[in-house]
């Protein structure tokens, strides 16, 4: 009788553990949902923001890039801070700041204030994405369960992108673009309360020191590069200001690499990049989200300003892309858990490449069936890639630096989105000053899609090279060296 009672108690404990784990996954998914929703919904609202706040194309770009730029710059600092002082604590602070920033964005009286409040919102957002991944990685310790959980998490990225254009278009038409920010507030508040109740505090075993110089160099390099790309069409690619921006960016990033190699507790542990799968995941994250950021900007402007779609119609048109990201993400997580990242990265790269090839083939004004196929291919490809990136990044890394490892790839994602908006926006601005159904804009449209297709090809090649058996063996040796160094 005693044994039976003990067995029932054990089963009940396992059930409660699984229930808590699922709640933790749900809370983490809520955080990435509002971060992804905010970006995708705002893309649909850009034409409305331009008209309401009398902004140029470059000004509208900064409402997105100010957010993604700050997010990319602070993700690694937030992740390492969470590993140091507590992941739940940093996660909750991030939710509070993100919710406050969202409220202020909705109340912004001008473009300048909107950009400033987007910066505040991004500081909070930087505490959510990598920290949530670290929480998931420490909650689901069994490799297959972790792969599935991260697959679900990656699928929520697709759900947020799917909901963003539709919900954003609906809110813009029914109320205004400001409602896109107000909707974040109750979600952030609910996640904040639930996190305090269900997420257990965790932190790295070893405490690493802050690296302020590394942080300054990272922000300087990324910020200068992005500013130069966005402002180049207006100021001139050969102008003193733009060349100075690029020179500062190169100098800061070279200085960052040198400093991180010589600093005892670096902001970015460059030993991670000795693992070919991790380096490949970081590069693919950068490229894939460059394609995604550029795609959303390009097709939002194309659908609303060239084809005269309403915001809601534009959101519905982009829905196949986002819906397939949501559906394929969890499937990719299962495939990665069973077969490794190679099949997912191959499928993803091929799909994005094919979308670019279909679009750049000479044709008249594309029929809606062509748009449906291309948007579906983009979503299908990015859905396969996203879960593979995340799993590759955290697998084989020491648990004590799980947040930093996740933070590096999250930084690459956000930096990719920033560069995507900057690059595609610059291509458009180089051809036209006002988006409309004109030969000049269509030339920019096809050049932009050629860039997206080239990114798909690069992802395919990098994925195949960095997931070979030789690369996997190199990753295992690197993990052993890092583990031995940590014990010493």
């Amino acid at each position: 009788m005693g044994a039976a009672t003990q067995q029932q108690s054990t089963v009940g404990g396992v059930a409660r553990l699984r229930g808590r784990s699922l709640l933790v996954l749900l809370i983490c998914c809520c955080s990435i949902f509002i971060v992804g929703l905010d970006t995708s919904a705002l893309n649909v609202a850009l034409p409305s923001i331009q008209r309401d706040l009398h902004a140029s194309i470059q000004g509208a770009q900064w409402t997105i890039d100010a957010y993604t730029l700050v997010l990319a710059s602070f993700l690694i600092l937030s992740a390492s801070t969470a590993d140091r002082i507590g992941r739940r604590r940093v996660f909750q602070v991030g939710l509070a700041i993100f919710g406050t920033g969202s409220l202020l964005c909705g109340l912004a009286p001008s473009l300048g204030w909107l950009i400033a409040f987007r910066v505040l919102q991004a500081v909070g957002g930087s505490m959510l994405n990598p920290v949530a991944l670290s929480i998931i990685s420490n909650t689901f310790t069994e490799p297959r369960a972790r792969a599935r959980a991260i697959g679900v998490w990656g699928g929520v990225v697709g759900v947020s992108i799917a909901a963003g254009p539709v919900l954003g278009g609906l809110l813009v038409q029914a109320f205004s673009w400001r409602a896109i920010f107000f909707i974040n507030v109750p979600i952030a508040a609910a996640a904040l309360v639930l996190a305090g109740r269900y997420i257990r505090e965790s932190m790295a075993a070893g405490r690493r020191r802050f690296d302020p110089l590394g942080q300054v160099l990272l922000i300087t390099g990324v910020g200068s590069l992005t500013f130069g790309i966005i402002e180049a069409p207006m100021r001139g690619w050969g102008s003193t200001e733009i060349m100075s921006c690029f020179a500062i960016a190169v100098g800061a990033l070279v200085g960052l690499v040198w400093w991180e190699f010589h600093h005892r507790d670096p902001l970015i542990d460059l030993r991670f990049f000795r693992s070919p799968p991790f380096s490949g995941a970081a590069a693919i994250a950068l490229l894939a989200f460059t394609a995604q950021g550029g795609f959303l900007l390009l097709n939002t402007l194309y659908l609303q300003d060239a084809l005269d779609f309403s915001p809601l119609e534009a959101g519905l048109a982009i829905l196949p892309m986002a819906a397939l990201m949501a559906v394929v993400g969890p499937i990719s997580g299962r495939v990665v858990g069973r077969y490794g990242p190679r099949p997912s990265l191959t499928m993803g790269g091929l799909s994005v490449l094919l979308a670019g090839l279909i679009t750049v083939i000479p044709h008249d004004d594309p029929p809606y069936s062509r748009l449906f196929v291309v948007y579906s291919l983009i979503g299908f490809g990015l859905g396969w890639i996203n879960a593979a990136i995340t799993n590759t990044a955290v697998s084989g890394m020491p648990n004590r630096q799980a947040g930093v490892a996740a933070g590096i790839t999250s930084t690459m994602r956000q930096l990719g989105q920033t560069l995507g908006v900057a690059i595609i926006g610059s291509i458009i601005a180089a051809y036209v000053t006002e988006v409309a159904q004109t030969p000049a804009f269509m030339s920019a449209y096809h050049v932009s899609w050629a860039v997206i297709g080239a990114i798909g090809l690069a992802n395919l090649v990098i994925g195949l090279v960095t997931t070979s058996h030789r690369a996997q063996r190199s990753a295992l040796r690197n993990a052993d060296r890092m583990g031995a160094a940590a014990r010493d």
Side-chain angles (χ1 to χ4, degrees), residues 10 19 397 443 457 469:
T10 302
M397 292 297 163
S443 295
L457 176 60
H469 291 300

Side-chain angles (χ1 to χ4, degrees), residues 284 345-346 349-350 455-467:
I284 291 171
L345 294 176
T346 302
L350 280 173
I455 288 172
L457 176 60
N459 277 344
L460 175 62
V461 173
I462 294 172
L464 290 174
V465 170
T466 60
T467 57

